[in-house]
Amino acid sequence: MLEIEIDGKKVQVAQGSTVMDAANKLGTHIPHFCYHKKLSIAANCRMCLVEVEKMPKAVPACATPVVADMKVSTQSDRALKAQKSVMEFLLINHPLDCPICDQGGECQLQDLAVGYGASGSRYQEEKRVVFNKNLGPLINTDMTRCIHCSRCVRFGQEISGIMELGIANRGEHSEVMAFVDRSVDSELSGNAIDLCPVGALTSKPFRFAARTWEMSRRKSVSPHDSLGSNLVVQVKHDEVKRVLPLENEEINECWLSDKDRFSYEGLRSADRLTEPQIKHGGEWHKVDWQTALDYIVRSLKDIKTDFGAEQIAALVSPHSTIEEMYLAQKLVRGLGSDNIDMRLRQSDFSLDGKRAGAPWLGMPVANLSTLDATLVVGSFLRKDHPLMAQRLRQAVRRGGKLARVNVTSDDWLIPLVAQSVVAPAQLVAELAAVLAALAAKLNVSVSSECAEIVGSAIQSEAAQAVAEVLLTGEKRAVLLGNLAAQHPNAASIHILSAEIARLASASFGILGEAAGSVGGYLTKAVPTIGLNARQMVESPRKAYILLGVEPALDCADGAVAKAALAQAGTVIHIGSFVGDAAEYADVMLPSAPFTETSGSFVNTEGRLQSFNAVVKPLGETRPAWKVLRVLGNLFALDGFDFESSDAVRDEVLAGDFSARLSNVVSGVVPKADAEPTGLQRITDIGIYSTDPLARRSPPLQKTRDAAAPRARLNPATLAQFGIEAGSDVTVSSSQSRIQLRSQADMSVPQGCVRVSGAHASTVALGAMFGELSVERT
Amino acid sequence: MLSIESLRLIDREIAKYPTDQKQSAVMGALRIAQQEMHWLSSETIEEVASYLGMPVMAAYEVASFYNMYDLKPVGQHKITVCTNLPCALSGGVEAAEYVKQKLGIGFNETTADGKFTLKEGECMGACGDAPVMLHNNHKMCARMTCAQIDSLIEDLSK
Amino acid sequence: MSETKVILADLDGERTWRMADYVKRGGYEALKKIIADKTTPDEIIGLLKTSNLRGRGGAGFPTGLKWSFMPKAYVGPKYVVCNSDEGEPGTFKDRDILRYNPHAVIEGMIIAGYAMGCVAGYNYIHGEIFAEYQRFEEALEEARAAGLLGQRILGSEFSFDLFAHHGYGAYVCGEETGLLESLEGKKGQPRFKPPFPASFGLYGKPTTINNTETFAVVPFILRMGGEAFLALGKPNNGGTKIFSVSGHVNRPGNYEVRLGTPFAELLEMAGGMRGGRKLKAVIPGGSSAPVLPASIIMDTTMDYDAIAKAGSMLGSGAVIVMDESTCMVKALERLSYFYFEESCGQCTPCREGTGWMYRMMHRIENGQGRADDLALLDNVAENIMGRTICALGDAAAMPVRGFLKHYRDEFAYHIEHKRCLVPVELQREGSRIYVAQD
């Protein structure tokens, strides 16, 4: 540690720190634009010039390393003169359009100009004009306002991992742009808006919607992925106008994924369900809550009486709060059924009853950023976990090594040291090969469960290289992605990966599919003796309760789910949107999206985060936890006397529940998959197709990530079938056939076809895994 | 698409730098590409970027930063005249005026027949030989009197 | 009163750039000797220190001292880089060196590689001189074929390779860290220092960058000895220096003279003033150096210390001579345009300030000047100085301040009368196409 002095105040900082670091530690504000704690140092705006004793010129605080006994003045004449002249230079070509600028009121340039700017301008020449760019549906540009701080460019290079924006030309003609008017397609792109210190990059969906000072700011938690990003939801006239990150260094840092940031645009979708409705004679009728609830009580009682409670099934969205899930399972069990599940896209449930606890990340999220060696298994990492991918990217930037065993080699924008990319049915065998290689390198034996499969493993160079990675560094982890959880042989993947982690002395974790995935286990929104999500649709029931679920899109086999609903006597749809429920449901209850209810999520690291409603429920919408509570009362069930969602939460998750998190399983022997004959389907869930709210956000649906699914095949496979890339093809499953545009994709292994799920155009194909055939149309 | 010959030349540039620093060859690669294609279209820049395994925006930054890359089509003969002070003191501006008059175009313009484009240049490091001009970036024409300009343009017009 | 040629000696033939010719002139003897004698790096650096060789690119930093900054114990590659990105208006000496004596640069760089333990070197050559770039590539092939480059040079333990990198039109790459960025395949935007190239240079490795003329003279210093070289110049200003004389003289060209030669003698070597007109002003060290009026420069000797004392800089040794036909307003307008055009745009004061200064100069030159413009111009220049990442900001500001300091009346006249103080006919006379007859 060194001691330096800033404006007469002494502070101790580590060697290698900058003057800015020292000032931050002291709480001394030094004006700046290009400096950002999460980005590399550019020292280009020159706003942070300060005076340092014995230095002939003012120096930028952001880039000047501290030396012992340095004396810095941030307010001396020389420092102020430098800062004021820089401010003048910044303003000479900046438009005077603050009254119509969306950044007005939250603009660093505006704020600092008040302190460091002159009242009039000495600049009498013509101001520069820069043409605006179309960067896609999320970011609006007004490039004349740009002050060239390069934060947005560095963000791309360093954080999102893709340099979509650059500064072209030079001198005064420099301008931030994307290559020939391309859009910015990164799933983290919205952060560039936050980083822009002026109004050059602003939110397109939010454009002209409100002034920052007119909105109230309310804390919330993202309902989308398993990270549970902290949000600031900005509200005006009881309407959500914008979502920004609430900084939490341990979770989302200062970032948000675009999904978390822009999904709110779906809240006011025309498809919102705002009144209870009952289908009568094929027609939907708006009814009051009492009528709707009475109808439900009657129908379920009838079915229970006529067919037995086991004919009642509940499918719960994994994006539900713990309060919703807890009450849902309490209701279903109160009715005498154990058919409840929130693991809608899973197809292998053979670990049920063998788990020691709720599957979770196995470590704090923040630790991802400092891992030395990581193996990710079965994941569309970048799209499924944008910010956790970002943390792994930082780990690699720090020198960590990343390897994967996966079914596609799609670009994670992270340099990989090793990878093994195989068809889904080979995934288990490949993991066995990695485990065998690791055991051989360490000269240890594998567990008895794994011994047989490892014994028959076929070695590959790739598997050796992957194993090698796990022998490096000190902080190691093996992480399972969504595909690993959804795989038809998920149990074997889990056991082999856990064994790899054990041998490598690595942490073992599950990245987690959704905001409620951990909560679903903790609240027992999973069956103990009853039917799981797959069985509930494969063995059709008489009555279904759907909580926030659109089964055709949210289940592992949407076609089978649809068929099950079609034959049911009663389908109760509790959700925020109508969707296809109008076809299959008998009663629809409008439940609150996350912005209109209080509730809690337990994120993948096991962190409980509660939030309040930020706006009033729209129309007759009610928080789902209240609806379920009233239903419990109407069924005269015990234990439904909750006054608040907090009370529900405290009942299910009182005290420290960390002991209930565990990835340990026992008593299952991994088994190899059979060698398939046809093309194997690989299914990803589009980043903006994951859940009903994301699916209804117009700006997100306009992004490239939301483009209609294609049949993506390796060029070699295309050639083998005589299909020209880009032509229309017929894709058939055992259930049906659909038309899709084909696409050559080197990242897809040979003998496979990648077709995205959770999309209306591909539901008919059925299961996420299995065999498909592809023919020229 | 760049020719095999150009790609070979680019490979020679790549070989000058450490194996993990292929991006160092981007300036040479863009120069070679421009020599073949006569100007740098977005497609050409993209091809160069992907050949070197670098982000296309990074290649575009380079192409747009250095003066001698042409991001728009230019005439068959691009003539760049230095008008900077040392040249101007020995008639650089007068020489440029003479070329303008002779070709009937101004700076940054191309003759109707697409033969000549005229550009104003900055210091070429040959001030002792003023007036100086560059023909198609690579050929320096020094001590350009009116008679020299006449014969240059006559030669190029053939 | 004549030239004292070292680098430019015996370069009258047609093929002086060929290796065989260079060897005949004693070329590569210095390199062969240090390899045969196993001369230690410290001895070579000590010799350079004795010679008082100062960097010929512009800053005049002592070369021996610079080489001694390279970390000796560093594990991993170190680089030596030659700055042949000669784009400072008025400077054209490096082009002649590359044209007529490229092997001197190559030998100097190999010796530098030897003295600093570098694995490779790059010569960054100005974009506009493609022919010289190609010639340098050929010279490298000759050296490589002769076993002077590559693995185990001349059978020794020393391995070193050298490559040419061609620029493509950006003055700012003459700034050493802008040059490094460019060499890495990026925009030539200078880096903030510290860290300095000696610790974080090319590809983040320790790197030493010197000017072409500096490297070219190294073999000669090794041959003649440090004291002898120092004696060619004057204390603290060792050796000879090539001056590029341009503008209103009868014989513009490069003149290699002893440091400390009176300006008047240099002017005479360049054939004296053109057309018998009177000397008005001289920019003694490239366009970035403050201008000096005739009265001052005629009493000054050409060396680092004397020019600094006179209020300017020796810089790259580019001597721009202006006679009485020169309108100082127009001259400064052109220079201001140059810096505006060449600013890399990275940091605020330079990006915004160069455009501001040029636009004001353009107005004044075009009869749109305002009474308070000169004070504002001076103040804008002052506000740029010392606040930018690299020296280009200062380079843009110094001419403005220099011109205003010595020729304020001429600027004021322009603003007041909306025309030049120098009669237009005289100006026209002075800016005619002029080519010296050999």
Side-chain angles (χ1 to χ4, degrees):
Chain A
M1 296 295 271
L2 302 170
E3 187 174 85
I4 74 160
E5 202 178 294
I6 300 181
D7 297 336
K9 283 182 264 181
K10 287 189 163 53
V11 61
Q12 301 252 333
V13 283
Q15 185 124 23
S17 308
T18 63
V19 172
M20 186 70 90
D21 295 333
N24 287 343
K25 196 170 173 193
L26 266 179
T28 301
H29 180 74
I30 300 177
H32 60 266
F33 296 105
C34 68
Y35 166 80
H36 190 278
K37 62 183 174 188
K38 292 282 182 189
L39 302 176
S40 64
I41 295 167
N44 63 32
C45 78
R46 318 305 285 174
M47 192 64 212
C48 68
L49 290 173
V50 293
E51 181 171 356
V52 174
E53 195 180 77
K54 293 190 196 112
M55 285 200 184
K57 300 190 273 192
V59 294
C62 70
T64 303
V66 292
V67 291
D69 303 323
M70 196 179 219
K71 286 195 171 60
V72 179
S73 339
T74 69
Q75 303 286 325
S76 67
D77 277 355
R78 188 196 275 174
L80 279 177
K81 207 165 163 255
Q83 291 158 12
K84 285 181 175 174
S85 64
V86 169
M87 177 53 78
E88 179 178 42
F89 285 127
L90 282 169
L91 291 175
I92 64 172
N93 275 305
H94 191 80
L96 285 169
D97 65 347
C98 303
I100 55 153
C101 176
D102 256 345
Q103 195 85 353
E106 53 185 8
C107 173
Q108 270 179 275
L109 186 64
Q110 200 178 35
D111 294 349
L112 287 179
V114 174
Y116 299 87
S119 53
S121 175
R122 301 193 294 169
Y123 186 70
Q124 304 286 317
E125 324 303 320
E126 211 168 302
K127 283 188 183 242
R128 171 173 66 222
V129 173
V130 185
F131 291 116
N132 293 335
K133 317 286 182 284
N134 185 359
L135 299 181
L138 305 179
I139 303 176
N140 192 67
T141 68
D142 204 315
M143 299 317 291
T144 302
R145 298 175 185 147
C146 175
I147 58 166
H148 305 84
C149 70
S150 75
R151 277 185 181 182
C152 56
V153 176
R154 284 176 283 147
F155 172 78
Q157 293 170 317
E158 297 160 15
I159 307 295
S160 74
I162 180 167
M163 187 191 180
E164 295 183 286
L165 292 174
I167 300 185
N169 307 322
R170 73 176 187 220
E172 213 193 74
H173 309 293
S174 301
E175 45 182 314
V176 168
M177 59 165 73
F179 183 65
V180 284
D181 288 332
R182 284 188 186 173
S183 50
V184 171
D185 299 326
S186 158
E187 63 285 348
L188 299 176
S189 72
N191 295 296
I193 298 167
D194 294 344
L195 287 171
C196 183
V198 294
L201 305 180
T202 52
S203 164
K204 202 173 253 184
F206 174 67
R207 198 158 188 234
F208 301 143
R211 284 307 207 171
T212 177
W213 58 85
E214 300 170 330
M215 296 182 289
S216 50
R217 294 165 153 62
R218 291 164 190 172
K219 292 179 187 179
S220 190
V221 176
S222 167
H224 299 292
D225 66 31
S226 59
L227 179 63
S229 286
N230 291 192
L231 313 175
V232 173
V233 181
Q234 297 190 316
V235 173
K236 178 187 167 188
H237 297 149
D238 217 33
E239 195 175 330
V240 175
K241 292 292 181 189
R242 183 165 65 168
V243 170
L244 296 175
L246 175 65
E247 192 168 333
N248 186 337
E249 198 53 30
E250 293 172 342
I251 302 177
N252 50 305
E253 304 166 75
C254 55
W255 315 121
L256 276 189
S257 68
D258 287 354
K259 179 155 66 180
D260 291 344
R261 183 185 298 269
F262 294 111
S263 69
Y264 76 89
E265 285 281 317
L267 292 170
R268 290 278 171 145
S269 157
D271 193 40
R272 263 303 285 271
L273 178 63
T274 54
E275 284 165 304
Q277 298 181 37
I278 295 176
K279 197 192 264 173
H280 203 66
E283 296 284 318
W284 282 101
H285 298 275
K286 290 171 182 166
V287 295
D288 60 25
W289 273 98
Q290 194 58 51
T291 309
L293 295 172
D294 286 347
Y295 175 90
I296 290 167
V297 170
R298 229 174 20 250
S299 325
L300 290 179
K301 276 186 175 164
D302 284 354
I303 284 179
K304 185 177 173 182
T305 311
D306 296 349
F307 304 102
E310 72 277 7
Q311 279 299 326
I312 299 171
L315 295 170
V316 177
S317 167
H319 300 276
S320 307
T321 64
I322 55 164
E323 293 81 356
E324 290 162 353
M325 292 198 271
Y326 179 63
L327 292 179
Q329 62 83 29
K330 203 169 190 181
L331 176 72
V332 172
R333 293 197 167 105
L335 293 173
S337 172
D338 194 51
N339 304 332
I340 181 160
D341 210 342
M342 53 90 212
R343 300 164 300 175
L344 308 182
R345 292 197 180 104
Q346 277 192 31
S347 47
D348 177 12
F349 294 87
S350 49
L351 291 181
D352 280 9
K354 324 272 184 189
R355 294 180 190 272
W360 68 304
L361 189 63
M363 63 175 152
V365 165
N367 288 13
L368 292 173
S369 306
T370 55
L371 288 171
D372 297 323
T374 310
L375 168 62
V376 175
V377 178
S379 178
F380 295 97
L381 183 72
R382 212 180 116 200
K383 302 299 176 181
D384 287 349
H385 302 99
L387 287 178
M388 288 200 269
Q390 186 275 138
R391 284 196 182 266
L392 290 175
R393 191 170 294 130
Q394 300 316 316
V396 169
R397 280 173 65 84
R398 288 193 179 97
K401 291 179 177 164
L402 182 64
R404 67 181 169 190
V405 176
N406 205 13
V407 298
T408 70
S409 57
D410 52 341
D411 193 353
W412 289 352
L413 306 176
I414 310 173
L416 293 158
V417 177
Q419 65 172 339
S420 207
V421 178
V422 295
Q426 277 81 50
L427 195 55
V428 167
E430 194 62 18
L431 283 169
V434 172
L435 179 55
L438 192 62
K441 284 176 202 293
L442 291 166
N443 198 22
V444 294
S445 48
V446 301
S447 66
S448 56
E449 284 94 344
C450 297
E452 189 186 333
I453 195 163
V454 163
S456 57
I458 298 164
Q459 263 318 320
S460 71
E461 254 178 60
Q464 294 278 352
V466 168
E468 199 67 50
V469 169
L470 286 171
L471 298 172
T472 62
E474 306 205 328
K475 289 180 251 174
R476 296 184 279 259
V478 176
L479 301 168
L480 297 191
N482 294 359
L483 183 129
Q486 294 157 358
H487 193 278
N489 196 357
S492 299
I493 294 173
H494 184 112
I495 294 158
L496 288 168
S497 302
E499 183 65 0
I500 289 170
R502 187 184 70 84
L503 293 197
S505 308
S507 172
F508 177 57
I510 316 295
L511 290 167
E513 288 178 82
S517 293
V518 174
Y521 278 95
L522 294 175
T523 56
K524 297 199 169 60
V526 289
T528 44
I529 49 164
L531 303 180
N532 58 47
R534 179 178 180 169
Q535 292 163 332
M536 278 187 256
V537 293
E538 285 184 350
S539 313
R541 303 286 104 182
K542 294 290 178 197
Y544 286 96
I545 300 167
L546 306 175
L547 182 60
V549 176
E550 300 186 276
L553 301 173
D554 293 334
C555 290
D557 189 331
V560 168
K562 260 174 100 167
L565 295 174
Q567 61 74 49
T570 291
V571 176
I572 299 158
H573 169 79
I574 307 172
S576 304
F577 304 97
V578 178
D580 292 343
E583 291 167 28
Y584 55 70
D586 297 281
V587 56
M588 300 194 288
L589 301 179
S591 67
F594 78 106
T595 47
E596 299 169 21
T597 181
S598 56
S600 313
F601 291 117
V602 176
N603 79 352
T604 190
E605 63 179 353
R607 181 188 298 250
L608 175 65
Q609 303 191 97
S610 298
F611 55 92
N612 292 316
V614 297
V615 290
K616 285 204 216 61
L618 188 65
E620 287 298 309
T621 298
R622 294 292 175 266
W625 73 268
K626 286 189 180 172
V627 175
L628 294 163
R629 183 199 62 187
V630 174
L631 278 171
N633 293 336
L634 291 174
F635 280 110
L637 300 174
D638 285 341
F640 276 85
D641 307 318
F642 298 103
E643 289 295 323
S644 66
S645 65
D646 289 356
V648 182
R649 177 197 65 205
D650 294 344
E651 180 171 305
V652 59
L653 288 181
D656 181 10
F657 56 87
S658 57
R660 293 164 61 190
L661 304 170
S662 172
N663 294 323
V664 173
V665 298
S666 52
V668 181
V669 175
K671 57 179 197 309
D673 283 299
E675 193 69 34
T677 49
L679 282 177
Q680 296 179 47
R681 178 175 180 180
I682 296 170
T683 301
D684 63 303
I685 304 300
I687 182 170
Y688 304 132
S689 298
T690 47
D691 56 86
L693 180 59
R695 288 193 287 259
R696 284 172 177 80
S697 166
L700 291 179
Q701 292 308 316
K702 283 184 208 141
T703 61
R704 283 169 70 97
D705 271 334
R710 297 190 170 192
R712 296 158 72 167
L713 297 100
N714 190 287
T717 313
L718 279 175
Q720 188 192 330
F721 285 86
I723 297 166
E724 198 185 325
S727 63
D728 288 330
V729 290
T730 303
V731 181
S732 319
S733 66
S734 57
Q735 286 157 314
S736 74
R737 51 180 48 210
I738 61 169
Q739 302 289 316
L740 286 176
R741 177 72 47 87
S742 66
Q743 183 183 324
D745 187 341
M746 284 296 292
S747 72
V748 177
Q750 290 191 41
C752 298
V753 53
R754 173 171 167 176
V755 179
S756 304
H759 196 278
S761 67
T762 62
V763 168
L765 286 179
M768 291 171 69
F769 293 86
E771 293 182 25
L772 295 178
S773 65
V774 178
E775 301 157 305
R776 278 189 288 185
T777 299
Chain B
M1 290 286 283
L2 294 171
S3 65
I4 296 291
E5 291 72 35
S6 289
L7 294 178
R8 281 230 177 93
L9 288 174
I10 292 173
D11 289 341
R12 279 189 48 186
E13 293 295 315
I14 293 171
K16 292 178 179 177
Y17 309 97
T19 43
D20 57 345
Q21 300 291 345
K22 269 166 103 173
Q23 183 170 340
S24 275
V26 70
M27 291 185 69
L30 289 171
R31 161 170 52 79
I32 291 159
Q34 178 164 297
Q35 279 302 107
E36 182 186 341
M37 314 301 279
H38 216 59
W39 68 289
L40 294 174
S41 64
S42 346
E43 292 74 31
T44 305
I45 295 171
E46 239 183 309
E47 193 184 344
V48 167
S50 84
Y51 197 75
L52 298 176
M54 66 189 283
V56 65
M57 192 56 216
Y60 186 80
E61 280 191 340
V62 169
S64 65
F65 185 85
Y66 299 91
N67 275 349
M68 290 161 66
Y69 297 115
D70 293 308
L71 301 186
K72 292 196 179 105
V74 289
Q76 199 183 337
H77 303 288
K78 184 176 80 166
I79 294 177
T80 313
V81 187
C82 176
T83 59
N84 206 315
L85 180 63
C87 269
L89 295 173
S90 289
V93 175
E94 192 175 272
E97 289 305 314
Y98 185 74
V99 180
K100 282 184 194 171
Q101 185 205 325
K102 202 165 163 67
L103 296 175
I105 52 172
F107 285 136
N108 301 315
E109 290 177 3
T110 299
T111 53
D113 61 3
K115 273 226 140 129
F116 291 96
T117 296
L118 187 60
K119 295 255 176 189
E120 183 170 28
E122 290 302 340
C123 187
M124 298 170 185
C127 324
D129 291 343
V132 288
M133 300 179 185
L134 271 189
H135 170 235
N136 283 349
N137 293 330
H138 291 177
K139 184 166 182 289
M140 185 168 302
C141 310
R143 303 176 164 220
M144 297 302 284
T145 59
C146 294
Q148 295 276 8
I149 293 169
D150 287 342
S151 76
L152 173 71
I153 290 181
E154 195 182 322
D155 283 351
L156 298 179
S157 300
K158 278 175 194 162
Chain C
M1 184 190 57
S2 63
E3 290 185 72
T4 304
K5 293 186 181 180
V6 174
I7 299 173
L8 298 183
D10 306 318
L11 297 179
D12 294 328
E14 286 289 305
R15 299 168 55 81
T16 62
W17 63 276
R18 286 291 182 191
M19 184 162 157
D21 253 49
Y22 180 65
V23 169
K24 264 186 231 154
R25 299 197 298 276
Y28 291 113
E29 276 170 19
L31 176 65
K32 285 172 184 159
K33 186 164 189 318
I34 58 170
I35 285 178
D37 296 356
K38 297 198 164 75
T39 312
T40 65
D42 284 346
E43 282 176 74
I44 297 169
I45 291 172
L47 188 76
L48 290 180
K49 285 182 174 167
T50 308
S51 77
N52 263 272
L53 173 65
R54 292 172 63 170
R56 301 306 197 212
F61 193 82
T63 306
L65 189 58
K66 191 181 218 177
W67 290 16
S68 72
F69 289 159
M70 283 284 267
K72 285 199 186 91
Y74 184 84
V75 182
K78 290 185 274 187
Y79 295 101
V80 56
V81 172
C82 176
N83 185 347
S84 296
D85 191 28
E86 186 180 45
E88 173 87 359
T91 317
F92 48 90
K93 63 189 176 69
D94 298 339
R95 175 175 176 237
D96 272 3
I97 296 169
L98 294 176
R99 235 173 158 183
Y100 302 119
N101 209 1
H103 281 285
V105 181
I106 295 173
E107 187 181 1
M109 288 188 75
I110 301 172
I111 292 168
Y114 178 92
M116 292 181 279
C118 299
V119 292
Y122 292 93
N123 185 10
Y124 189 107
I125 298 174
H126 194 47
E128 284 82 349
I129 54 169
F130 187 67
E132 285 72 16
Y133 164 75
Q134 285 186 309
R135 183 170 282 187
F136 194 80
E137 289 267 51
E138 281 184 55
L140 285 176
E141 285 311 313
E142 288 183 322
R144 210 165 273 133
L148 296 168
L149 285 174
Q151 293 298 308
R152 305 178 62 91
I153 290 171
L154 298 171
S156 70
E157 294 296 303
F158 170 55
S159 298
F160 177 79
D161 215 336
L162 184 54
F163 306 95
H165 182 100
H166 188 215
Y168 229 55
Y171 167 69
V172 72
C173 294
E175 199 279 350
E176 61 180 14
T177 56
L179 185 148
L180 291 178
E181 288 284 298
S182 184
L183 201 44
E184 291 181 4
K186 305 174 197 159
K187 296 184 286 181
Q189 294 190 320
R191 300 173 181 169
F192 177 79
K193 288 145 284 205
F196 290 93
S199 56
F200 190 93
L202 183 63
Y203 310 127
K205 312 292 181 205
T207 302
T208 289
I209 306 156
N210 279 120
N211 172 254
T212 320
E213 186 182 351
T214 312
F215 282 122
V217 82
V218 165
F220 297 97
I221 296 175
L222 260 62
R223 270 146 63 188
M224 74 174 75
E227 284 87 3
F229 185 76
L230 173 60
L232 287 173
K234 64 186 228 188
N236 198 36
N237 296 266
T240 57
K241 166 91 187 80
I242 304 174
F243 289 95
S244 303
V245 184
S246 65
H248 292 139
V249 293
N250 279 314
R251 281 197 306 276
N254 285 314
Y255 297 91
E256 186 171 9
V257 299
R258 293 165 181 264
L259 279 168
T261 300
F263 170 77
E265 286 185 25
L266 182 64
L267 182 59
E268 211 165 305
M269 284 178 226
M273 296 304 294
R274 191 188 299 168
R277 287 187 297 273
K278 259 173 54 192
L279 177 68
K280 181 173 186 175
V282 171
I283 301 176
S287 64
S288 314
V291 66
L292 295 175
S295 57
I296 295 177
I297 190 76
M298 286 304 280
D299 287 339
T300 306
T301 58
M302 299 304 286
D303 56 84
Y304 296 95
D305 298 337
I307 303 255
K309 216 175 133 198
S312 188
M313 306 185 311
L314 184 86
S316 55
V319 180
I320 306 170
V321 179
M322 294 176 275
D323 68 21
E324 56 188 324
S325 73
T326 314
C327 168
M328 301 312 262
V329 179
K330 185 174 250 172
L332 181 59
E333 186 213 9
R334 186 61 186 84
L335 290 181
S336 297
Y337 178 76
F338 171 70
Y339 292 105
F340 164 59
E341 169 67 27
E342 297 293 345
S343 166
C344 81
Q346 182 182 203
C347 69
T348 308
C350 178
R351 179 184 64 243
E352 305 295 338
T354 52
W356 193 354
M357 292 195 300
Y358 165 65
R359 289 195 175 87
M360 290 182 72
M361 279 308 306
H362 187 68
R363 268 199 298 105
I364 296 169
E365 166 65 13
N366 286 286
Q368 312 276 312
R370 303 188 187 105
D372 52 1
D373 274 352
L374 296 185
L376 181 56
L377 194 55
D378 206 32
N379 185 242
V380 171
E382 188 188 341
N383 282 346
I384 297 172
M385 283 188 73
R387 293 180 182 148
T388 52
I389 290 178
C390 80
L392 197 144
D394 285 10
M398 281 189 295
V400 171
R401 306 201 79 195
F403 272 70
L404 285 178
K405 180 176 167 193
H406 294 293
Y407 299 95
R408 201 176 188 95
D409 291 351
E410 209 174 317
F411 284 79
Y413 183 93
H414 230 289
I415 290 171
E416 194 182 335
H417 297 93
K418 311 207 178 300
R419 60 184 159 85
C420 304
L421 181 63
V422 179
V424 175
E425 296 70 34
L426 183 58
Q427 285 189 48
R428 197 168 296 144
E429 199 57 38
S431 57
R432 284 264 156 80
I433 295 177
Y434 174 82
V435 171
Q437 304 306 308
D438 291 319

